[in-house]
Amino acid sequence: MNRRFLLRQAACGFGSIALEGLLAAENLLVRMPHHPARAKRIIFLFMQGGPSQIDLFEYKPELEKRNGQPLTFKLPKNYEAPGIRDSRIFGPMGKFVRRGQRGMLLSEMLPHIGGVVDDLCFLHGMHADSEAHAPAIRQLHTGQSIQVRPSMGAWTLYGLGTENQNLPGFVTICPVLSGDGGTPQLFGSAFLPAIYQGTPIGKSGDAKNARIDYLRDASVTTAEQRKQLDFLADVNRRHLETSGAEAELEGRAASFELAFRMQMEAPKVLDLSTESAATLALYGIGEKETDDFGRQCLMARRMAEAGVRFVQASDGGWDHHGKLRQSLPVRCKAVDKPIAGLITDLKQRGLLDDTLVLWGGEFGRTPFDQDLSQGKAPMSERGREHNPRGFTMFMAGGGVKPGISHGETDEFGWEAVQGKVHINDLHATMLHLLGLDHERLTYRYTGRDFRLTDVAGRVVREILV
Amino acid sequence: MEVDPENRLLWRMSRRRLEAETIRDAMLVVSGTMQASAGGPAIPFDVPGNVNLAEPEFLNEEAKLDPATRLRRSVYLPVLRKSQLPELDILNLFNFPDANQITGPRQATTIPTQSLYLMNAPFVQEQAAALAESLLAMKTTDQSRVRALARRVYGRELRPGEGEQWLAFVRTFTPAEAWKRLCHTLLISNEFLYRG
């Protein structure tokens, strides 16, 4: 065998594999899962910045008792962070109150979430790999903290396709695009075919004006555009007659028809004016503090209803290095009612059974205080540093046990010690609920098979119904 | 065609969709709007805010293009690693590779968001309007206008019956809108977007 022969053989092989891949991948039609699915779709409520598990979800009496005392636990040898040289134990702010049938202790800053706590499955043993926003956010969205990898929404579409061909299958509402790790790569498809990438709708902080780009040409009426597209179809048909039929050309022509239908359907899904006053109120729409995230949550429900496979809603500003006592209640207020509204509404409509809701940020926060003012700020104006060693996320619906708390951190809320769930485990579990085996959902790129969970990940069977 | 419809024996050129930059450049060229200047900085320094004065060695992340740069050849446009400029969406949508990772052969996807862009994006509309304007500026008959249009957009003469088909479409719109709509349709037709 000579070199040229080998290359030719190899090149043929690659070519045909690539072609097969393209043909199979070039559509969003529904595909069979690996095993029966518990969830058909996912709504991910992303809290950018790292919400404090210590002040909201995990009551630690030890912290309250030792508030203001020197640290009683050892920091790792190489631990470095700004403004922590004189750090002391920083007790939880606000009161914890018993909520739900099993009397779960929850911060009183989340009164509405407290009302649906029996539907939620708390993961108190979450842990991630990075102390910094950008890699941690990347890991939460793509499984990998350093390189550019496909987003979990893109993997989901690749695995399952989508139920409504007139809407994008993966939508991210008001994504955080810059600062503290925000980037379009969080909803990108990386090496997966571009058809799986997320469609961004609206700008961060402006859910009121959220729309899909290029959905309308204001200078023509729908009837005129229809006429133009019919003419385009004629022009393309003539071209086919002279050039010979080809799937690619026919696909392009068909995609204009799909785009036209999308133009009709997408604005309807995003139009909240058809919702009743009671529903709008349930989400806190129309109230100053809750309007933005309320709209995001209601759009998420409408898209879930319309068959969108993966919807993300985002709220920024959870990075409380300082002024925790002033800022945390503001963020809680903004999302508490909308989230509870979403859970309630999904449940009322029978959608919660097969919709998995996931809530959380890229990491949690430290049980000791941080002072970035070089000692000028009083204790009451301090905050907490990032903490990927132990934090809380919660899920609801879609085949997870309702009304449970899984895992916990140590007595100070510093490190996950029981029921530990790594980000890779979280992703493995999400895919499992969707009917996908995270070890079998692979895509070949640069000579090896890639997975959302790379070479790790364990399905957290303890929380499955 | 009957013996080898998939062109395994390479008896003809395989059809290829134009790449992102080529689609953009081709639209600019046939509309006569292209700024044919060469070289210079990709991000114009004289647009306020593009240079970070506190740290002049870095450019600001949210760079802005001036009107002239916006009409240059794609090869002279900036490629930002963090996120490509929204006004260059045409590149992002038509599979311009992510500058953060290695890319072998480019993908050539056919997705509805591309079609939405071709139908509705101001960039495409503007090129169509410029093309229509230049046709209407010709002091001649509609017949020779469509002949000129076929040469410019498709690089060939009209086929039998084609001119009549185009003019029939023109007559169904108001005169001001009609030629722009015809030009727009041809710019997003398969014959323009594919080679071979």
Side-chain angles (χ1 to χ4, degrees), chain A residues 49-50 79 127-140 144-146 361-364 385-391 422-423:
Chain A
Y79 189 82
H127 62 114
D129 295 337
S130 181
E131 307 265 357
H133 292 291
I137 287 179
R138 200 176 280 271
Q139 183 172 45
L140 175 59
Q144 232 278 2
S145 57
I146 299 164
E362 66 269 36
F363 38 51
E385 172 61 314
H386 310 155
N387 182 12
R389 288 169 185 75
F391 60 101
H422 186 266
I423 298 291

Side-chain angles (χ1 to χ4, degrees), chain B residues 66-120:
Chain B
D66 56 350
T69 308
R70 207 172 290 137
L71 296 173
R72 299 184 81 191
R73 279 184 65 193
S74 304
V75 70
Y76 297 120
L77 295 174
V79 174
L80 304 185
R81 206 175 51 169
K82 191 157 177 192
S83 72
Q84 191 53 285
L85 299 169
E87 55 191 307
L88 302 180
D89 266 349
I90 187 167
L91 301 186
N92 304 334
L93 281 166
F94 286 90
N95 313 104
F96 188 82
D98 187 327
N100 292 277
Q101 59 177 11
I102 50 166
T103 303
R106 281 193 194 184
Q107 295 168 356
T109 54
T110 306
I111 53 178
T113 39
Q114 292 169 345
S115 302
L116 282 178
Y117 183 91
L118 293 173
M119 281 156 68
N120 300 327

Side-chain angles (χ1 to χ4, degrees), chain A residues 123-395:
Chain A
L123 303 170
H124 294 304
M126 288 303 307
H127 62 114
D129 295 337
S130 181
E131 307 265 357
H133 292 291
I137 287 179
R138 200 176 280 271
Q139 183 172 45
L140 175 59
H141 284 77
T142 72
Q144 232 278 2
S145 57
I146 299 164
Q147 275 130 329
V148 181
R149 292 283 180 258
S151 159
M152 54 178 158
W155 280 109
T156 306
L157 271 197
Y158 167 63
L160 295 175
T162 183
E163 287 181 324
N164 187 339
Q165 302 298 317
N166 298 340
L167 289 172
F170 169 20
V171 172
T172 176
I173 308 167
C174 303
V176 192
L177 289 177
S178 60
D180 279 348
T183 149
Q185 288 157 12
L186 299 178
F187 52 86
S189 56
F191 48 73
L192 288 180
I195 194 166
Y196 301 120
Q197 76 202 5
T199 300
I201 294 186
K203 293 186 175 63
S204 183
D206 191 17
K208 207 169 181 173
N209 293 310
R211 55 175 177 75
I212 295 180
D213 284 338
Y214 310 118
L215 206 53
R216 200 116 213 88
D217 172 4
S219 68
V220 278
T221 64
T222 304
E224 283 174 326
Q225 195 168 42
R226 183 65 260 172
K227 200 161 66 181
Q228 191 187 344
L229 286 179
D230 288 341
F231 175 60
L232 175 67
D234 275 349
V235 170
N236 283 337
R237 204 170 306 127
R238 264 173 188 263
H239 177 239
L240 272 184
E241 278 163 19
T242 54
S243 70
E246 211 167 298
E248 167 75 19
L249 294 181
E250 286 162 29
R252 166 70 54 195
S255 90
F256 276 101
E257 290 306 314
L258 177 51
F260 188 72
R261 291 202 302 274
M262 209 185 251
Q263 276 189 176
M264 302 287 107
E265 188 143 344
K268 278 187 219 153
V269 173
L270 298 179
D271 177 15
L272 306 185
S273 68
T274 56
E275 295 284 341
S276 71
T279 304
L280 297 176
L282 180 67
Y283 286 81
I285 295 169
E287 291 175 58
K288 191 166 168 279
E289 297 96 336
T290 49
D291 188 75
D292 193 82
F293 202 64
R295 283 173 186 278
Q296 292 195 45
C297 285
L298 182 51
M299 277 188 268
R301 189 220 81 207
R302 289 176 66 90
M303 281 190 259
E305 229 168 9
V308 177
R309 187 68 75 183
F310 195 108
V311 189
Q312 177 167 342
S314 297
D315 186 64
W318 290 85
D319 190 23
H320 301 128
H321 291 278
K323 299 210 166 163
L324 178 85
R325 276 159 212 281
Q326 293 78 5
S327 316
L328 186 59
V330 177
R331 294 282 26 97
C332 286
K333 174 100 187 161
V335 302
D336 176 48
K337 195 174 192 181
I339 291 169
L342 175 65
I343 303 283
T344 308
D345 200 15
L346 287 172
K347 203 175 172 185
Q348 276 169 6
R349 289 165 191 262
L351 280 165
L352 194 59
D353 293 332
D354 56 7
T355 304
L356 178 68
V357 180
L358 172 71
W359 178 97
E362 66 269 36
F363 38 51
R365 308 208 79 86
T366 56
F368 45 84
D369 74 288
Q370 182 180 31
D371 174 25
L372 296 178
S373 74
Q374 271 128 17
K376 279 178 236 144
M379 198 71 172
S380 63
E381 286 192 10
R382 295 186 183 176
R384 302 183 188 277
E385 172 61 314
H386 310 155
N387 182 12
R389 288 169 185 75
F391 60 101
T392 297
M393 295 181 88
F394 65 77
M395 290 179 165

